[in-house]
Each structure stands twice: as structure tokens, then as C-alpha cells.
Amino acid sequence: MGPAPHRERPTPRLRAAVGVVPAAIAVIAVGLASILTQDGAVAVTETWTPTSAETAAPPVATRFGAPNDVHRAADGSLLLADFSANGLLRRAVDGTWSVVAPFGTGSGDLWNPSAVTTTADGRIVVAEAGRPALAVLDADGRVLSRTAPPVRRAVSELAVSDTTVFAAVPGSGSLFTAGLGSDAWTTVAGPWTDPSGVAVSTDGRTLTVTDAGTDEVWQVDRATGTATALGFPGDAQSRLRGVAVDGADVFAVDIGHGVVWARTAGAWNAAFSTAPDGSTLANPTAVTVGPDRTLVVADYNRQRMVTATSSGREVAVPSPTATTEPTAEPTAAGTPVPDPTADPTATVAPTPDPTPLPTSEPILTPAPTSGPTDPPTTPIPTPTLTPTPTLTPEPTLTPTAQATATPTATVAPSPTATSGPTGAARPDPTGAPTAAPGSGATPSDTAGGADTGTAPPGRPAADPAATGSDTAAGPGRGALAWTGATPLAPALFAAAVLVAAGLLLRCRRRS
């Protein structure tokens, strides 16, 4: 029998390499496993997509005159207050339009309706800037009562809690309240300087107020009077108007930039600023939110109502979790799967829904600047009553990439970015109700009363020579976003250190 074959003994550097490489692989594996076991690592964001822009309500209205307020009623129907024509219109859940109360100066008509809301029992409350008055109607539109408004200026937004009504009147500097059907108005104490929008929570405990003077959104605890600023991300060109709430979420209109903002999961993001055809919102005045999170906006200067649908509430999607033992996990349909080691009669409850995470701010899209079409040529009744409010211009602006915009070509104070209707000229203050908005018309914050035209305090004057035309990309927020700490980088660094140490040891042994 020949000699046994010689087996080469491992060299020192080979032994060093054999020891270092598995250690590096182990560290990398630990880092990857740590990533996979993070809970709530992916956030699905909520976005809004404009889906319709209505300029008429067939067969009851061939064209909107000046949509100034929109309100979603408890039955899901939508109420639209047309300031200069048509009166108060209703769109049923099936899309059918009807007239609740026509435009006019008669006892059963509504004269320049500027704000609308509903009570829990289905009554409708409307502010009439033309009389002026606060009217209470039944569900069929019959006028039950009329009382004096808080001041002789146009009310921009109303909110009702039980039998208490709140009224925001831009230019007055105050938020007003009274009992429903009473004209004994008092002011609500708060830090605002020019309340322009008001909403009340479903439980009636919280007031949300937009302040056009400081461009801030406030929430007030009605029990304690404590006011909290929500930190609206405005700038010198912002000007807040209507507001709506859905639980803890807040939706506000910035007429300065033509943007609808959404505060969800504690963070402000621009929801949308255009209609489906890409045309920008021009002096949007009010917003309302439905149970499916659909937003509807009164786009005053473009004489239309724009609807945007939601992708769904923000949710956190947990990443898969690596385990070494079998555990009870719910199936895709939500049915619990029993633990193989557990009592066969025991059941396992499914994992609760994850909580939402805030997401990044979207970027707004550019849009054409074509204006609304000509106003209706139908005659408007001539009143013999109190002076009608006259609308005065306010600039229309275009949003920038940071959801804050530079004004498009403007000649103060009317927007030149739009070519609004150029119909009938404004009548004498003692004449007929206000006609459709002109190319530079503004919402009803400056309509009504002898003090017409007063600008809110703290508002910088617009530069008449401004010709900015900056535009931004569309609201293309990603649907997924990684959040939380990521241990992969430290793991790879540790692995690199181990490999380098092995190579250094190898070189030293060679030398």
C-alpha cells in the first residue's frame, strides 16, 4: 500500500478569511432582518383628484352666476348658494338638480344668498346679503323666518350647533353668534383678526375658524375657550376663506393662491388647485367634504363648482415580520389562523388597523388661464328694497411648486390671469341684486353695506407690475413612502470593518 496522499494544511491567512467572511455575512443578515421586522414601515398617502367641473344645473339653471358657498347636508345632498343668479340650488345624491328657493326680492325668494348651512332637523339657514337678513327655510324651501344679520356686510360662512348659529363676516374683524331665529348677536372671543370661515365639529365641542387677517386656522374648545393655532403654511399672498371639517381633519380654501388645503394626520398638504381640464381655481370661496372624503369647491370667478375625489384615508401598512416560531396570523380575508401548538378550541383575534402617518406635501400643477364664459343674459329683477351689496375686485393668484404661489399677471386689484364674464354692469346700490361677477370680481367679503371695500388688516398691497408666471408640476405624490429607522447602513458598515480587518491580518501574516 503506497503512502497516504499529503493533505495541505490550511494557511494562517486562509483561516483568517474563513473566520471573517461568515461573520460579515451574519451582520448583513441581521441588518436585513431588522428592516423586515419594522412595523408600519410603509405609508399609503391620501390624494385628491379633480373629477368634475359643473357650470350649470340642468334643467333648472343654464349657468351659474357666482357660486359663493357650498354645503353638504346630512342626507348627502349638496346645497349651492348662487350669489348673483339662481338663488339656492340642491343636487340630490343621484345627481338631480332642483331649486330650493329662487333668486329674487320677493318674500319667498333669496336675494344675493352668500352662505348656507343646515340644522340637525333638516332646516336650511341662509344669509342674504341683498336684504340683508338671515333666513331660516324648511327642507322644501319655504321661508320660516327672517332676522337681522350681525352687521351690514355679506356673511361668507355659517355653522350651526343645536340652536346656536355662528357667522363669519370678512372685513368685520369678529366672529358672531346668536340663537337660531334671534338677531341678538354677540361676538366670540378669540385670537383672530378677520374671521372668514367657520365650521363646527359633529359633537359641537370645537369651532374651527379661518383668519384672513393672519392667514391662520384656529380651533377653539367651546367649553374652555382655549384657542389653538393649527400652523397654516401661508405666505404674504395667502388669503384664507371657507373651511370644512371631517373628524380631526381640516380643509381650508386659500383664495389668494387658488388652492384647497387639507390637514390630515396633523400635517398640511395642498389637496388640489385645478379643475379636471387643468384650469386653475379662480377665487374659490368655500369647500365642503362628504362622507366619502369627496371635496366640492365653489369656484366663484370661474362660475363653477369643482369636485375632487379622494384616494382614501391615509393608512400605515406594516412590513412583513420574520419570526422563528409559528404564530397566529390573520389570513388575507381577515380569518384567524390557529396556532399549531395551541389549544384547538382557542381563536386568535386579528391585528388591529394601523394608525395613519403624515405624508409629504404635494406639488401643484400648472393650468391654463382662460376665464369663464359670458354670464347669462336673462334679466335680473329690480328690487325696491335696501341697497344691494356690490362685489369689488380681489386678485387671483397661481400656486407655485411649494403650494404657495406668485400672482399671475395682475393689475391691482383685479386678476388678469382670468377673463371672467363681462356681462351687465353693476347697478346702482339702490337697484337690482348683484349681477354675475366680472373679470375682476371678488367674492362677497366686500359686498353689502356702506362699509363696502374694506380690506382686512395686515394684508400687503399687491404689486400692480407683477407679471409672475411660475408654474409647478402636478400633484404627483408617491403612493408609498419608507418611514422609520433603517439599520441596513450600520450593518453594512460593520461588515466592511470586519472584512478590512481580515485583509489587514492577512497582509501582516504574509509580511
Side-chain angles (χ1 to χ4, degrees):
M1 189 175 204
H6 174 70
R7 293 185 179 181
E8 184 179 357
R9 299 180 62 185
T11 63
R13 56 177 176 270
L14 180 60
R15 287 196 299 269
V18 171
V20 170
V21 172
I25 294 174
V27 172
I28 294 174
V30 169
L32 292 174
S34 178
I35 292 176
L36 293 176
T37 56
Q38 290 185 87
D39 291 329
V42 180
V44 179
T45 67
E46 183 176 18
T47 60
W48 279 267
T49 303
T51 53
S52 70
E54 299 169 83
T55 58
V60 297
T62 58
R63 180 172 297 175
F64 297 142
N68 201 64
D69 195 17
V70 285
H71 173 73
R72 181 80 65 176
D75 63 359
S77 63
L78 191 74
L79 295 172
L80 172 70
D82 192 336
F83 187 84
S84 68
N86 303 313
L88 184 65
L89 303 175
R90 176 190 284 123
R91 188 181 70 185
V93 177
D94 64 2
T96 304
W97 283 97
S98 61
V99 177
V100 179
F103 179 90
T105 60
S107 60
D109 303 334
L110 294 178
W111 188 357
N112 294 133
S114 60
V116 60
T117 190
T118 54
T119 64
D121 60 6
R123 287 176 293 171
I124 305 171
V125 185
V126 181
E128 295 180 84
R131 293 187 194 275
L134 194 73
V136 179
L137 290 65
D138 66 14
D140 296 323
R142 290 184 291 267
V143 177
L144 303 176
S145 66
R146 275 191 173 98
T147 55
V151 292
R152 289 184 62 84
R153 296 183 68 89
V155 176
S156 62
E157 196 151 54
L158 295 166
V160 174
S161 177
D162 296 330
T163 59
T164 301
V165 61
F166 299 91
V169 186
S172 69
S174 299
L175 179 67
F176 298 94
T177 185
L180 192 62
S182 168
D183 54 11
W185 294 93
T186 59
T187 59
V188 180
W192 39 77
T193 62
D194 190 21
S196 55
V198 61
V200 63
S201 60
T202 304
D203 59 12
R205 297 178 181 178
T206 305
L207 282 178
T208 302
V209 181
T210 49
D211 186 355
T214 60
D215 298 322
E216 182 57 273
V217 181
W218 302 92
Q219 284 195 325
V220 181
D221 186 324
R222 293 181 62 193
T224 65
T226 303
T228 303
L230 299 186
F232 179 76
D235 60 17
Q237 299 298 333
S238 298
R239 190 172 185 184
L240 290 175
R241 188 60 180 270
V243 65
V245 295
D246 181 24
D249 297 334
V250 178
F251 304 90
V253 172
D254 179 358
I255 67 176
H257 292 298
V259 177
V260 180
W261 288 80
R263 187 180 189 270
T264 59
W268 286 103
N269 294 289
F272 69 101
S273 63
T274 65
D277 64 356
S279 58
T280 57
L281 303 180
N283 278 337
T285 50
V287 61
T288 187
V289 57
D292 58 353
R293 306 277 283 180
T294 294
L295 299 178
V296 180
V297 174
D299 195 8
Y300 183 91
N301 266 28
R302 294 207 190 274
Q303 300 173 274
R304 64 188 180 184
M305 187 176 68
V306 178
T307 300
T309 58
S310 168
S311 61
R313 290 181 184 270
E314 296 178 357
V315 294
V317 181
S319 299
T321 302
T323 57
T324 56
E325 299 178 354
T327 58
E329 294 288 342
T331 64
T335 306
V337 178
D339 187 331
T341 61
D343 186 341
T345 62
T347 59
V348 180
T351 306
D353 293 336
T355 56
L357 296 175
T359 60
S360 60
E361 183 176 307
I363 300 175
L364 305 176
T365 57
T369 57
S370 60
T373 55
D374 292 336
T377 57
T378 53
I380 299 175
T382 302
T384 56
L385 302 179
T386 56
T388 182
T390 303
L391 303 180
T392 59
E394 176 173 299
T396 301
L397 306 172
T398 305
T400 67
Q402 296 300 322
T404 56
T406 315
T408 56
T410 59
V411 178
S414 64
T416 60
T418 61
S419 56
T422 56
R426 289 288 185 274
D428 184 271
T430 60
T434 312
S439 60
T442 59
S444 61
D445 58 329
T446 55
D451 50 355
T452 297
T454 304
R459 177 71 46 195
D463 181 4
T467 58
S469 60
D470 293 342
T471 55
R477 283 190 294 175
L480 298 178
W482 287 102
T483 61
T486 302
L488 179 57
L492 293 176
F493 178 77
V497 170
L498 288 173
V499 172
L503 295 175
L504 181 61
L505 178 61
R506 175 182 177 183
C507 292
R508 291 186 61 183
R509 288 183 179 277
R510 178 181 296 175
S511 61

